[in-house]
Amino acid sequence: MTFPHLMLFLHLVGVVVWVGGMAFAYLCLRPAATALPPAQRLPLWAAVFARFFPLVWTSVALIAASGVAMLVDTGFARAPVAWHVMLVTGFVMIAVFVWIWAGPWRALQAAVAGENWAGGAVALNLIRQRVAFNLALGFVTIAIATLGLGL
Ligand code: HEM
């Protein structure tokens, strides 16, 4: 490959923005925002995701394109098992993100536009659960990528 370091750089930029953003949202913003009433909390989250999700789409494109490029360059047969596992966990994370984006994210936007706070809280809770799953799988994937975990 002509620019192997560039591929790894782009891969890790995507990982940092996506997993780091989820960690900030889940571990810092969420506990702080629970103090707000729904009429303020739900529009705040809608405004946060309206900025974060385009960054996630960019990160997903960078991670998938650079990851597959590095894998193809080494060759699937010669690549360590950990890389194959990363391919699977990475695409599971991407599928969960698309599931958030196409489902509860649309529902949250509609609920906020209609000032339907009960419906918005249900949608936000679904987003929270799926982000928690992706955050955990993101840490597992980083551990597999860097530690190998015997794979
Ligand atoms: C979408 C499918 C993915 C594929 C095909 C893929 C593939 C790869 C490949 C081939 C490498 C190069 C390993 C090396 O040169 O040592 C790599 C590195 C890495 N990947 Fe992925 N990856 C994917 C998704 C992810 C995701 C979702 C994460 C984190 C949440 C992640 C985290 C990492 C890390 C931290 C490294 C650096 C490992 C190191 O250099 O020690 N990858 N990935």
Side-chain angles (χ1 to χ4, degrees):
M1 192 188 302
T2 321
F3 301 114
H5 298 295
L6 178 62
M7 286 299 128
L8 193 54
F9 170 74
L10 295 175
H11 199 70
L12 293 182
V13 166
V15 170
V16 166
V17 170
W18 188 10
V19 180
M22 288 194 293
F24 171 76
Y26 200 88
L27 301 173
C28 305
L29 187 55
R30 180 176 159 267
T34 51
L36 296 173
Q40 290 176 12
R41 188 165 48 88
L42 294 163
L44 170 70
W45 277 112
V48 166
F49 291 139
R51 288 162 180 81
F52 182 53
F53 286 165
L55 290 177
V56 176
W57 277 115
T58 308
S59 299
V60 161
L62 284 177
I63 291 169
S66 59
V68 170
M70 291 187 286
L71 203 51
V72 167
D73 189 58
T74 298
F76 277 78
R78 288 180 47 221
V81 175
W83 294 14
H84 291 263
V85 175
M86 180 162 35
L87 174 73
V88 173
T89 58
F91 276 105
V92 170
M93 286 178 65
I94 292 169
V96 170
F97 170 64
V98 172
W99 194 30
I100 292 170
W101 189 79
W105 167 229
R106 298 288 170 89
L108 178 65
Q109 285 176 300
V112 168
E115 301 191 359
N116 169 11
W117 307 130
V122 171
L124 186 62
N125 198 41
L126 286 174
I127 295 175
R128 179 188 64 75
Q129 289 169 359
R130 293 175 198 180
V131 167
F133 176 86
N134 255 0
L135 180 58
L137 191 56
F139 279 119
V140 169
T141 304
I142 293 171
I144 290 167
T146 54
L147 305 175
L149 298 182
L151 297 170

